[in-house]
């Protein structure tokens, strides 16, 4: 799995856990809805850490909690 796919999967997972829509996350985080959609759809080859941090603030989680997932284990990511 590529890193952008792992970020997409994790964001989708967290939105489901929190019962939030992309629009609600946009309203809470300030990250443009189009950017959130592009992350979810893997339209970007990479995502800036600043954006992930802002998304985490909107999700009311720490950045460590975002990356605390087996999706980010080295064995699951392509080099």
């Amino acid at each position: 799995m590529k890193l952008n796919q792992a970020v997409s999967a994790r964001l989708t997972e967290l939105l489901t856990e929190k019962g939030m829509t992309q629009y609600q996350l946009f309203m809470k985080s300030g990250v443009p809805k189009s950017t959130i959609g592009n992350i979810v759809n893997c339209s970007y080859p990479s995502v800036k850490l600043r954006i992930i941090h802002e998304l985490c603030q909107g999700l009311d989680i720490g950045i460590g909690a975002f990356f605390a997932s087996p999706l980010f284990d080295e064995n699951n990511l392509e080099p």
Side-chain angles (χ1 to χ4, degrees):
M1 175 180 289
K2 293 182 179 178
L3 184 57
N4 67 331
Q5 293 170 318
V7 170
S8 170
R10 182 63 173 151
L11 180 56
T12 301
E13 187 177 82
L14 288 166
L15 285 170
T16 301
E17 278 179 24
K18 300 279 185 177
M20 291 177 73
T21 64
Q22 291 180 25
Y23 180 77
Q24 289 169 322
L25 181 56
F26 150 66
M27 293 300 290
K28 288 188 78 176
S29 69
V31 174
K33 188 175 174 303
S34 59
T35 300
I36 295 169
N38 286 333
I39 293 169
V40 168
N41 295 324
C42 296
S43 298
Y44 297 138
S46 64
V47 181
K48 291 182 179 180
L49 189 57
R50 177 185 59 79
I51 298 294
I52 294 173
H53 180 256
E54 290 172 4
L55 292 171
C56 288
Q57 289 177 324
L59 290 163
D60 294 323
I61 62 170
I63 201 160
F66 185 89
F67 289 108
S69 167
L71 291 166
F72 298 106
D73 287 350
E74 283 299 313
N75 295 335
N76 295 334
L77 295 174
E78 293 178 14

